[in-house]
Amino acid sequence: MRPLLINGEWLMTSHASDNINPSDTSDIIDSFAQAGLAETQDAISAADAAFASWSLTTPQVRHDILKTAGDEIMRRKDEIGELLSREEGKILSEGVGETVRAAQIFLFFAAEALRLTGDKVASVRPGVEVDITREPAGVVGIITPWNFPIAIPAWKIAPALCYGNTVVFKPAELVPACSWVIVDILHRAGLPAGVLNLVMGEGAVVGQCMVDDPRVSAITFTGSVGTGARIAKDSLPHMRRLQLEMGGKNPLVVLDDADLDVAVDVAVNGSFFSTGQRCTASSRLIVTEGIHARFVEAVAERLKSLIIDHALKPGTDIGPVVDATQLEQDCAYIETARREGGNLRTGGDLLKRDTQGYYLSPALITDTTPDMRINREEVFGPVASVIRVRDYDEALSVANDSEFGLSAGICTTSLKYASDFKRKSEVGMVMVNLPTAGVDYHVPFGGRKNSSLGPREQGSYAKEFYTTVKTAYTAP
Ligand code: ADP
């Protein structure tokens, strides 16, 4: 059993939960101690007590710990990447790639610790000095989802520690292994007791306990809209800062003048790689009339050629869906889309493989309209729908017709349309001739509308959430 980490001590509990490989449900990766209310409260107390001294450590101390952790993650990328693919089901190259990204994030924030600056501003009053500085927010509650088992914990934990906050971290129930590994690495890298606490367990118990505790000054969450909304509502009495990253229903527009090969690559990658389980996945393919038939034909052909199998098997293009519940949801959405008039062009079949896993062939649904549920609600699986439109203007209007606003893409060779789309997309991230999913680690990440609440994550913009600004006036 892998223990919790509370106040610098590894702690076993009477309760444990098995971590199961979605490529092979007979493969139990490990078992993980489960926190209840008492352990979560202890973790919050520890983080609260550790804040006074950690918040005053020098940037050098924080740099060195983050750098040591980043270097170890990079050194162990193959081993951790394999563990990631085993617990989440994305293919090995994606598992290793995500691990490298986590290492890069720690190295980026190691350096950021040394770069935090303030402002000195002339006062409007004679003789008065004004200093503007940033201070850590306090105890940060970190709640993460299952689809990026190491990158999302990294992009929340690294900036939290970099800017002098203490942390209570609750990973997703389905993927505790990579979280455990990075907490172990940070602990051994020299974090003082209580600065980073790991409480694995149920969202409704551990997560909710963090939300209900007034000592948690800030919560950063990635997950579903429903849970995000609940966290926002329950946080209101505590007036805490929030950073919520939730769903997407990301459009990819394909115009008549697109390079067909580029458009097909961008669509197949953005919609289906990582089993479509990315909040930035392109789930609505909005295609103009002149290229529609050729595009649909080429995407369907490509999908049929992909190998869906065990995530660790060499040659696999797409691994399994993460668990039985998610698989059921994916199939239910495909069924609803068909009932509402969509045409299942290819995929949507449950597949049998050598090992028992949650295998679903990538589904392409054509002849859909913007009002159908498949085009309004997030599926979070290897499922994309095609909406046929007349021209660019209709494509833009359909793309923006969503309660979500995370990422949007366009495939075109026209500078005019590309520029207009970048300007008018109601999203946080916009891609031209690139998949809607797949972003750099050193620039802001986040969305608009129901996709996000609060300041951006990643890059130097992360400090907007993890620090609070102080304006100091001095008279000589
Ligand atoms: P998903 O459907 O992707 O699992 P969730 O929003 O349910 O998305 O889960 C994202 C994270 O939020 C997980 O770590 C989960 O345990 C946690 N969570 C679920 N319910 C709550 C809650 N009431 N309060 C805080 N965190 C929660």
Side-chain angles (χ1 to χ4, degrees):
M1 189 204 294
R2 300 276 171 178
L4 312 175
L5 182 69
I6 297 175
N7 203 20
E9 305 280 335
W10 293 109
L11 182 78
M12 297 293 187
T13 55
S14 53
H15 239 68
S17 171
D18 286 343
N19 186 7
I20 294 165
N21 180 348
S23 297
D24 174 3
T25 53
S26 70
D27 177 24
I28 303 206
I29 298 160
D30 215 328
S31 99
F32 290 81
Q34 299 290 288
L37 285 182
E39 291 84 8
T40 309
Q41 280 160 359
D42 287 349
I44 296 168
S45 302
D48 194 29
F51 181 73
S53 61
W54 178 249
S55 59
L56 296 177
T57 47
T58 63
Q60 190 68 50
V61 169
R62 285 179 256 139
H63 165 275
D64 291 351
I65 291 171
L66 294 172
K67 167 85 166 57
T68 303
D71 285 343
E72 180 170 343
I73 295 170
M74 195 66 94
R75 230 179 14 251
R76 293 173 55 192
K77 67 180 181 352
D78 294 322
E79 168 215 338
I80 301 172
E82 184 178 326
L83 179 66
L84 195 165
S85 292
R86 242 176 113 201
E87 73 170 340
E88 199 270 352
K90 64 182 67 172
I91 60 172
L92 186 58
S93 56
E94 291 172 338
V96 174
E98 189 185 324
T99 307
V100 168
R101 182 194 173 111
Q104 289 165 330
I105 289 168
F106 275 102
L107 297 175
F108 176 88
F109 281 106
E112 278 300 275
L114 298 165
R115 286 194 201 111
L116 188 63
T117 57
D119 288 315
K120 194 167 187 80
V121 176
S123 171
V124 293
R125 286 173 279 171
V128 172
E129 290 184 348
V130 183
D131 300 303
I132 302 164
T133 52
R134 288 180 180 272
E135 295 181 2
V139 175
V140 177
I142 295 181
I143 301 173
T144 57
W146 50 260
N147 63 331
F148 284 93
I150 195 162
I152 296 180
W155 83 50
K156 294 179 188 297
I157 292 171
L161 299 176
C162 162
Y163 296 116
N165 302 280
T166 56
V167 172
V168 179
F169 168 39
K170 192 208 93 63
E173 290 90 321
L174 287 175
V175 292
C178 288
S179 292
W180 194 91
V181 168
I182 57 173
V183 170
D184 173 54
I185 289 172
L186 281 160
H187 179 58
R188 285 187 290 96
L191 274 182
V195 171
L196 172 64
N197 302 274
L198 173 67
V199 276
M200 294 155 300
E202 283 178 34
V205 178
V206 177
Q208 191 66 44
C209 176
M210 287 157 66
V211 173
D212 291 337
D213 196 308
R215 295 172 296 172
V216 177
S217 319
I219 289 185
T220 175
F221 161 87
T222 302
S224 61
V225 177
T227 306
R230 187 187 173 123
I231 291 174
K233 182 171 76 56
D234 294 349
S235 287
L236 196 59
H238 308 300
M239 294 290 175
R240 66 162 63 96
R241 56 180 55 216
L242 286 178
Q243 183 179 58
L244 308 176
E245 291 295 347
M246 298 164 287
K249 193 71 211 175
N250 310 293
L252 173 69
V253 169
V254 178
L255 297 185
D256 286 355
D257 67 11
D259 177 318
L260 184 65
D261 292 337
V262 169
V264 172
D265 281 349
V266 162
V268 170
N269 177 322
S271 303
F272 300 103
F273 285 6
S274 297
T275 322
Q277 297 175 152
R278 299 186 279 192
C279 48
T280 46
S282 328
S283 48
R284 294 184 294 146
L285 305 174
I286 302 167
V287 187
T288 48
E289 284 171 347
I291 198 171
H292 180 271
R294 282 178 296 145
F295 174 79
V296 166
E297 176 67 26
V299 170
E301 282 312 303
R302 178 74 63 81
L303 293 181
K304 284 183 210 153
S305 74
L306 295 177
I307 297 170
I308 321 304
D309 208 328
H310 195 299
L312 295 178
K313 215 175 195 174
T316 298
D317 294 303
I318 296 178
V321 169
V322 75
D323 73 350
T325 311
Q326 186 62 49
L327 183 63
E328 227 170 81
Q329 180 172 313
D330 296 350
C331 294
Y333 269 114
I334 294 170
E335 203 32 55
T336 305
R338 294 176 76 174
R339 263 206 321 276
E340 291 187 338
N343 170 32
L344 182 57
R345 181 70 159 70
T346 183
D349 299 313
L350 297 178
L351 304 173
K352 287 236 171 316
R353 293 294 179 253
D354 293 344
T355 49
Q356 184 84 38
Y358 307 109
Y359 298 107
L360 176 66
S361 58
L364 185 70
I365 303 165
T366 59
D367 305 305
T368 71
T369 52
D371 54 310
M372 290 180 184
R373 276 184 65 197
I374 194 72
N375 287 319
R376 308 221 69 88
E377 298 170 23
E378 186 174 45
V379 178
F380 223 68
V383 183
S385 49
V386 181
I387 305 171
R388 186 183 172 135
V389 291
R390 269 187 322 278
D391 53 16
Y392 170 73
D393 289 336
E394 188 183 356
L396 175 68
S397 139
V398 169
N400 283 336
D401 177 18
S402 173
E403 69 176 74
F404 297 108
L406 188 58
S407 177
I410 188 167
C411 289
T412 179
T413 50
S414 151
L415 184 60
K416 179 178 124 192
Y417 290 134
S419 305
D420 196 71
F421 191 75
K422 282 196 282 185
R423 171 68 191 82
K424 294 183 183 158
S425 272
E426 295 164 4
V427 292
M429 296 170 294
V430 58
M431 316 289 183
V432 178
N433 296 321
L434 287 167
T436 56
V439 293
D440 288 3
Y441 66 87
H442 66 311
V443 292
F445 178 97
R448 301 183 189 179
K449 301 182 183 171
N450 287 1
S451 290
S452 302
L453 182 79
R456 290 287 184 262
E457 304 205 68
Q458 304 202 55
S460 56
Y461 282 66
K463 66 175 169 287
E464 299 302 334
F465 176 73
Y466 292 97
T467 66
T468 180
V469 169
K470 181 176 278 174
T471 311
Y473 297 84
T474 313

